[in-house]
Amino acid sequence: MDLLFRSKYNNFLSDCQLPNPVPPAHPLNSSLSLITFADLSHNSLSSSIPDAFGKMISLVHLNLAYNDFPGSIPKSFNNLSRLQSLDLEANSLTDQLDKFLDKLSGSGKSLQILNLGLNQLRGTLPDFTRFSSLRELYLPYNQLTPTSFQQVLPNLGALNLHRNRISGMLPDLTVSQSLTVLNLGDNSLNGTIDKSVGQLSGLEYLDISSNSLEGVISEAHFSNLSSLKILDFSFNSLVFNISSNWIPPFQLDVIGLASCKLGPDFPKWLRNQNN
């Protein structure tokens, strides 16, 4: 990372109060084909995303977060065949998610991190398997609707779909053994939680709070979760039926079980949580 920040081909203009809209003569509208890292976050830019970014064919990392860019990305983003991370969090994007991703098809083999949280993106979750290198996907606070998770989870290490419009049953999570972060909180998921979730040995963060999940939670749901640090099952209709002599395989930093049924006695297994 030190080498990255020393490179003369990086462009850091975060929180600089850039002119809005970007004028035609501005360097952003030049063909800066050697730039590998561009950061223009936190500038309150509200015009359309400049087409010139698609001419920066060497871009590896692009951060346009916390502006007010409307609509979608330009078709020229298809030229960014080296792009590894794209951060567009907290803008005013309103595109259908599948159409948005079509404009990133040139990054299908390179894109590893995609953050589109805090926008107004619509539609179902499309097939993400076209992004063969994608490891982290952040889509919280959008307007995404039910879909099959089978085309989303494989190969992902982090998936955040907090506060969308996702409904239906909780998917079979064992299709992605590489998951370390899973946040499906504040949606409309229903049904029970399958015991297979306990097989995700690399999972560190699990949040399925504020849904309509129900049923019994037993030791089997946590059997191999030895890496778990954050667990939030709050505001579901879940009943915990845990043996009094059970010793969890994890040490949690944060636990949320509000509105779950734990009684009548205080859970003895919580006494082993020393962090």
Side-chain angles (χ1 to χ4, degrees):
M1 199 55 136
D2 289 340
L3 291 175
L4 180 67
F5 280 89
R6 292 193 194 111
S7 172
K8 63 181 179 180
Y9 299 130
N10 294 329
N11 190 329
F12 298 94
L13 296 171
S14 177
D15 199 12
C16 290
Q17 299 182 353
L18 293 176
N20 187 23
V22 178
H26 194 279
L28 288 181
N29 285 324
S30 302
S31 181
L32 304 179
S33 60
L34 295 178
I35 289 180
T36 60
F37 191 121
D39 185 348
L40 287 85
S41 59
H42 297 273
N43 273 295
S44 299
L45 298 170
S46 59
S47 58
S48 297
I49 297 176
D51 192 66
F53 282 113
K55 299 177 182 179
M56 299 179 183
I57 57 175
S58 297
L59 268 180
V60 176
H61 305 282
L62 176 58
N63 187 350
L64 302 176
Y66 289 89
N67 284 289
D68 197 21
F69 288 120
S72 187
I73 55 176
K75 293 180 180 179
S76 62
F77 272 50
N78 236 327
N79 299 322
L80 304 180
S81 60
R82 302 180 184 179
L83 194 64
Q84 294 182 15
S85 68
L86 175 60
D87 192 342
L88 284 164
E89 184 178 15
N91 279 281
S92 297
L93 303 175
T94 57
D95 205 356
Q96 291 276 343
L97 184 57
D98 57 346
K99 294 180 179 179
F100 183 98
L101 294 177
D102 286 342
K103 300 169 189 174
L104 282 176
S105 58
S107 306
K109 294 182 179 180
S110 61
L111 193 63
Q112 299 177 22
I113 301 173
L114 180 59
N115 186 356
L116 302 175
L118 286 166
N119 282 285
Q120 301 169 46
L121 295 168
R122 297 166 285 116
T124 59
L125 291 174
D127 185 357
F128 280 90
T129 57
R130 65 179 118 167
F131 297 99
S132 57
S133 299
L134 191 63
R135 296 294 178 266
E136 299 179 26
L137 178 59
Y138 304 99
L139 295 168
Y141 293 89
N142 279 287
Q143 300 176 24
L144 302 174
T145 50
T147 188
S148 168
F149 283 81
Q150 303 304 315
Q151 297 176 318
V152 181
L153 289 171
N155 301 322
L156 281 182
L159 176 62
N160 188 337
L161 290 168
H162 184 86
R163 191 169 291 186
N164 276 278
R165 298 176 179 178
I166 309 296
S167 62
M169 302 283 288
L170 192 68
D172 180 2
L173 302 175
T174 57
V175 298
S176 185
Q177 288 295 321
S178 56
L179 270 178
T180 60
V181 174
L182 179 63
N183 189 341
L184 299 174
D186 209 349
N187 280 286
S188 300
L189 293 168
N190 55 38
T192 60
I193 301 175
D194 193 89
K195 295 177 182 178
S196 61
V197 68
Q199 302 306 311
L200 299 177
S201 58
L203 202 61
E204 300 175 8
Y205 184 115
L206 176 59
D207 184 348
I208 50 176
S209 62
S210 299
N211 280 283
S212 299
L213 297 166
E214 58 186 7
V216 176
I217 299 297
S218 69
E219 300 96 320
H221 287 88
F222 306 111
S223 56
N224 290 319
L225 301 186
S226 57
S227 301
L228 199 63
K229 298 297 182 185
I230 297 176
L231 172 67
D232 195 348
F233 281 2
S234 297
F235 305 110
N236 287 289
S237 299
L238 298 171
V239 177
F240 277 68
N241 183 14
I242 304 290
S243 171
S244 60
N245 59 1
W246 180 61
I247 299 178
F250 47 70
Q251 282 291 325
L252 297 174
D253 296 326
V254 177
I255 185 168
L257 300 174
S259 86
C260 296
K261 186 175 180 180
L262 302 175
D265 299 322
F266 186 84
K268 291 184 178 180
W269 63 271
L270 285 178
R271 300 177 184 177
N272 297 301
Q273 301 304 297
N274 300 318
N275 295 338

